[in-house]
Amino acid sequence: MSDLIKFDNPNYTIGAKGHCVAIRTNQLGKVMHLTANETLKLIAELESALDELAEVKKNG
């Protein structure tokens, strides 16, 4: 998959090709391969967690 669309960060790398997304944690070198639907579910869960953290921070 050398023609991946990539997003590089010191902590992780995200690549996408077609209907598959690969997320690699750079510290551990672990790779998760997700379908488009699994990726959408993960993004929704992350957004929910961030909303909860923001609410906790707001309320002190």
Side-chain angles (χ1 to χ4, degrees):
M1 284 213 246
S2 60
D3 57 340
L4 286 174
I5 297 169
K6 294 182 181 177
F7 174 78
D8 290 312
N9 169 301
N11 299 317
Y12 55 86
T13 301
I14 300 173
K17 181 178 182 183
H19 296 284
C20 182
V21 175
I23 301 173
R24 179 182 183 271
T25 56
N26 295 334
Q27 292 87 356
L28 301 175
K30 301 282 183 180
V31 177
M32 294 184 341
H33 294 276
L34 305 171
T35 64
N37 285 338
E38 291 169 331
T39 302
L40 292 173
K41 182 179 176 185
L42 176 61
I43 290 169
E45 290 174 8
L46 291 171
E47 287 177 337
S48 176
L50 289 172
D51 289 345
E52 288 178 31
L53 287 172
E55 188 65 29
V56 167
K57 185 175 179 181
K58 177 183 169 184
N59 294 329

